[in-house]
Amino acid sequence: MSRIIPQPFLIAKGEDGSYRITVRDVRYNSQSYPIVTSTLQAEVFHSAHAARAHAKEHLGAKPGQFGSK
């Protein structure tokens, strides 16, 4: 396993061309190893820009907190 901490918000394009947001929460175990929990959001967006705007407005995302897939 890698100790690289992922971005808190992942914007991924689906097979049908729609975009979805995954919110990642990082916590650490007793050996300071990161444990990442990912939660896929229910909303579906027509563009990555719309997904990013939604995350900023409703999920409290800040610039630089986005990853893409």
Side-chain angles (χ1 to χ4, degrees), residues 2-67:
S2 174
R3 288 186 181 245
I4 297 172
I5 306 302
Q7 297 295 330
F9 299 95
L10 174 67
I11 298 174
K13 186 174 184 178
E15 292 178 6
D16 60 351
S18 63
Y19 292 84
R20 303 227 15 217
I21 301 171
T22 301
V23 179
R24 301 178 194 164
D25 181 42
V26 179
R27 58 187 175 89
Y28 297 90
N29 67 6
S30 61
Q31 288 83 33
S32 298
Y33 192 81
I35 299 171
V36 180
T37 305
S38 299
T39 307
L40 183 63
Q41 301 296 302
E43 295 88 357
V44 178
F45 304 96
H46 64 279
S47 69
H49 180 72
R52 185 180 298 258
H54 176 81
K56 286 180 181 177
E57 184 176 333
H58 297 284
L59 302 174
K62 306 237 186 285
Q65 292 185 326
F66 295 96

